[in-house]
Amino acid sequence: MTDVQQQKSDTVAAVKHMKWWGWGVEGVAFHHHDKPAFAPFVKKIVGVELSEGHDTGLDFADLVVPASIAAPEVVESLEQIVGPGAVATDDHDRVVHTYGKSIRDLIRIRAGILERVPDVVVYPADEAEVQSIVDLAVASDLVLIPFGGGSNIVGSLEPITTETRTVISLDMGRLDRVLDIDEDSGLARIQAGGQGPDLEAQLNARGWTLGHFPDSFTHSTMGGWVATRSSGMQSDKYGDIADITKGLRVVRPGGVLAIRAVPSASTGPSLREMIIGSEGRLGVITEVTAQVHRLPEKREILAYLFPSWHDGLAAMQAIAESDAHPSVTRVSDAHETAFSFATSKPGKGISQKITDLLPTLLKAKGWDIDAMCLSFIGYEGSPEHVARTQKTVAKIVKANRGMSVGTGPGKLYDQKKFDTPYLRDFFMDHGGAADVSETAAPWSKLRDVSSRVYAAANQAFDQIGKQGWIMGHLSHSYHSGACLYFTFAFEHGSDAEAEYDVVKHAIQQAFIDTGATVSHHHGVGLEHQPWMSQDVSPEGVAVMQGLFDSADPGRVFNPGKVTGA
Amino acid sequence: MTDVQQQKSDTVAAVKHMKWWGWGVEGVAFHHHDKPAFAPFVKKIVGVELSEGHDTGLDFADLVVPASIAAPEVVESLEQIVGPGAVATDDHDRVVHTYGKSIRDLIRIRAGILERVPDVVVYPADEAEVQSIVDLAVASDLVLIPFGGGSNIVGSLEPITTETRTVISLDMGRLDRVLDIDEDSGLARIQAGGQGPDLEAQLNARGWTLGHFPDSFTHSTMGGWVATRSSGMQSDKYGDIADITKGLRVVRPGGVLAIRAVPSASTGPSLREMIIGSEGRLGVITEVTAQVHRLPEKREILAYLFPSWHDGLAAMQAIAESDAHPSVTRVSDAHETAFSFATSKPGKGISQKITDLLPTLLKAKGWDIDAMCLSFIGYEGSPEHVARTQKTVAKIVKANRGMSVGTGPGKLYDQKKFDTPYLRDFFMDHGGAADVSETAAPWSKLRDVSSRVYAAANQAFDQIGKQGWIMGHLSHSYHSGACLYFTFAFEHGSDAEAEYDVVKHAIQQAFIDTGATVSHHHGVGLEHQPWMSQDVSPEGVAVMQGLFDSADPGRVFNPGKVTGA
């Protein structure tokens, strides 16, 4: 720990950050000693040999961190605003604020690639301090990049490498409170920097929940969710962040853009929907008035099996069309189902339950076990609602040749649902590269999206000369379609980033070519920019660019993200 | 009919327009000869004497219509694009396209006030023609105002009076088809100029419904709904137009801004939500891909009575919080309830039913009949869903001291729901002025909004020295709040517009002062502009203005609307 860090104020020191080289906190890691099927499975699908545990050999001291170019008077001005204990220029803090946690980010940080590191990290305590920082940045031609939990995986947090001005990473971590709950309306005023578990704890203590649980939940923030159009696992019930967000406060040069928390409004083009997804380009989100719900009386996740991907998709669509209102609709394809079995512990969990059922399935139903698909449906609400919804779903599952596997696998899924990034990092420790691509499309196109993504990925694996693996699931159902979420993996060679690019590119282009969108809930950042004009049309990108240019003529607010220019 | 009109092509002649001096079509009018309570009621509440029928004394020939300033070469260029039968410069067509149908519009047109009339009306047949017109307008510095059904009541359609350039009213009436239904996804491609009944007929023929039924339904269009952020009576089930709209095609200078019809996307600030509510300022909407639903097996509207407005509001909130999913939640306050009784026919309908119940209510329940509130709850879906929802609602109604009045009044409401504007015009024929103001607010604020709107309106009536009347209802329930919709009326003096301004201003300001929004679903136009900076903050207006300026630097697209500049 450096002297600078020791000088941090207590509140600043309390701001949580993930480790500089990977997901989550130090000391927590994936292990597979109790999952005997896992290492052979990984060996089989991508040829990677897994040992138990692995020393990454990474040492922060080995990093060559470019010096900060922040002028002393800039640092002094910031210190005058937030106090000297809330401004950091030390290497560790600056490196932690350089990247998000995508595979590309981890490849680079582990390789010591640090082209452009923020020059200074500042931790405002309140909105007034954010306003002063914004006004200073505009007056002094600085660059501001808002930083929440640092979990972004589309390159929204890194400074543009060619940036010659001083770059400030604006860490929102001290604005972490639920300020107020309007218990009559189910509306909570929430500060932008609060991380998922802390916010839920504050809400739960008063009997409420936001109901927003993205994969990144443990390390992402309210402001980050809004800035990237996040969607949580229970979005079928609680909605995407665009549905959840009612009011907003956004610090703009000279004042706060404030949007009233009304349930719906007819006040021209939606400013709320311009801020949502803006990735810092329109100002700094300081406060969100979000709709919250009473904690459900009952909550249960049931697992189901379907004989094929098409049966699983058909069932999810039938559920979306029905009067049932589950909180989660999710079905894995055959590859992801096999992967789930491989990560289970023997004697309990998913694989054992399935193993017990195998003879029945094979003999009585004539299923092809390799085509089988695992599904989770979540239920929340009154016991009557849960019972009724389960009954409706049971009929639909049966009509689509599926069967229930009970609550056991669902409980396990619920416990482990935020652990996948640790597994990704563990895989990376052993020479593997794994990442995700997600999209949304109308129901009529989902089968085509899925099969063409598989074809594209496999062709890309051939192109880079690697044994690769792709798997996917449907999650987040809507009236007219759903989200498809793919995970791909391969053993990388010497240029992991270039190999990754080939595979990622192939999958994203398959989304576009099948009429799907470039992203359902991860955002654009730098990573998804190449497909924006194909997705929202060149005219759409031009209108969006015009919005950014008019709102930020000095290119102070996270320039270069979303639209490029 | 002029020669010019006779030269119209058949398809152009088939485009439906409302009468130039009021709502709806010639020959349809409100009458009260079978509603004996109505005239005394109106006499009592606003002092206006109603006769049966009334000659407005209006003659189109009396209008002094400013001459078109369209240069011959502009008209020729337009004729080259759409054909000579699809360009109109005659007075009648130009006058019909000058205003919407607000009370301010009717006051002006009936007084012969025509400050700035569009110079030419053009009827494109398809998107390619719209593109050519847009490109011509940009190249020749013309003004384009898209025109749907002409039902707007916030001044979105009229040219700015100071406009010195040629103004083209772009009538979308020939683009009136449902192009395609993706039956698997529940998505229909619908042309922007289709009017409500025509579109529903096309959808119904294939077993589908859009489920969008605003008060203006009979004379408003798909494009108009999107351009103004419309909301329909069944929005509790089908959503507002912002929920219904998935894909969009918008003609911009040089090309089409095309948004894919995906159920949700994380592609930066939402272009979809910028176009929605844009009132023509970002280009010309030509096509909407909307989510559609299978026609419900069963559809029923039940009426209920509550002893007070507060009980009614509490019941609506409890329904919104429950697992019930009705299609309509509506409760009138005591004034509007009394008005409903007064417009009923004896021997059937609402009043007779209530009359029959009065002894029971008075004696058994001890209700104050003057405080009583009438509610309609709509149910749509499978018979099981309808039955279950009705059961849930019945419990909530009982818990809030209400009672069911059965299906009779609901059927009547359903038949008459689009007739109110005719009543407004009839009232106007007798020297009355009546208009509406609507808003949305969180549940916690609705009582305050309602009481302060009443106080503001009554103070305004005092100010103009008139006996006035205000009444309201809740409709459109959401998780965190609802829409309140007010109707106000008074006998106007010599300067009806100025008197109207006083009352309208008082009500809109009460919305703002109580934390509600300036409009829930009517839009902004010119009428609601004065409250925009109070509603979405000056910073919000500035960002919106920047969007318009950057997207339309030549101020070609309906300039001056929404933000003023």
Side-chain angles (χ1 to χ4, degrees), chain B residues 426-542:
Chain B
F426 175 83
F427 183 62
M428 203 175 171
D429 296 344
H430 294 79
D435 200 40
V436 292
S437 277
E438 38 74 60
T439 188
W443 290 109
S444 61
K445 294 180 179 173
L446 293 183
R447 287 161 188 77
D448 188 41
V449 173
S450 185
S451 60
R452 285 174 67 177
V453 163
Y454 264 66
N458 287 324
Q459 198 175 0
F461 296 140
D462 287 348
Q463 192 183 328
I464 61 172
K466 298 288 179 185
Q467 184 185 357
W469 174 256
I470 182 154
M471 60 188 186
H473 63 257
L474 171 151
S475 52
H476 313 279
S477 294
Y478 304 83
H479 175 74
S480 63
C483 164
L484 289 181
Y485 193 106
F486 298 92
T487 303
F488 56 93
F490 56 92
E491 183 173 25
H492 67 76
S494 58
D495 193 346
E497 202 177 346
E499 290 167 345
Y500 161 78
D501 276 347
V502 171
V503 183
K504 174 77 174 174
H505 187 280
I507 292 171
Q508 295 293 138
Q509 191 59 46
F511 291 162
I512 292 293
D513 293 345
T514 51
T517 181
V518 74
S519 176
H520 169 264
H521 60 272
H522 284 166
V524 183
L526 299 175
E527 192 73 18
H528 291 150
Q529 271 180 28
W531 296 275
M532 277 293 277
S533 70
Q534 293 179 72
D535 190 331
V536 304
S537 76
E539 290 76 12
V541 174

Side-chain angles (χ1 to χ4, degrees), chain A residues 182 184 228 266 292 317 444 479 523, chain B residues 182 184 266 292 317 444 479 523:
Chain A
D182 173 350
D184 194 9
T228 57
S266 182
V292 291
Q317 181 170 4
S444 61
H479 174 74
Chain B
D182 173 350
D184 194 9
S266 182
V292 291
Q317 181 170 4
S444 61
H479 175 74

Side-chain angles (χ1 to χ4, degrees), chain A residues 433-491:
Chain A
D435 200 40
V436 293
S437 277
E438 36 74 59
T439 189
W443 289 109
S444 61
K445 295 181 177 172
L446 293 183
R447 287 160 188 77
D448 188 41
V449 173
S450 186
S451 62
R452 285 174 68 177
V453 162
Y454 264 66
N458 287 324
Q459 197 174 1
F461 295 141
D462 287 347
Q463 191 181 329
I464 61 171
K466 299 288 180 183
Q467 184 186 358
W469 175 256
I470 183 153
M471 60 188 187
H473 62 257
L474 172 151
S475 52
H476 313 279
S477 294
Y478 304 83
H479 174 74
S480 63
C483 164
L484 289 181
Y485 193 106
F486 299 92
T487 303
F488 56 93
F490 57 91
E491 183 174 24

Side-chain angles (χ1 to χ4, degrees), chain A residues 208-225:
Chain A
W208 295 87
T209 180
L210 189 63
H212 187 70
F213 302 100
D215 290 357
S216 63
F217 174 75
T218 51
H219 297 281
S220 53
T221 63
M222 186 78 238
W225 299 331

Side-chain angles (χ1 to χ4, degrees), chain A residues 438-440 508 511 517-523 528 535, chain B residues 264-267:
Chain A
E438 36 74 59
T439 189
Q508 294 294 138
F511 292 163
T517 181
V518 73
S519 176
H520 169 264
H521 61 271
H522 284 166
H528 291 149
D535 189 330
Chain B
S264 188
S266 182
T267 45

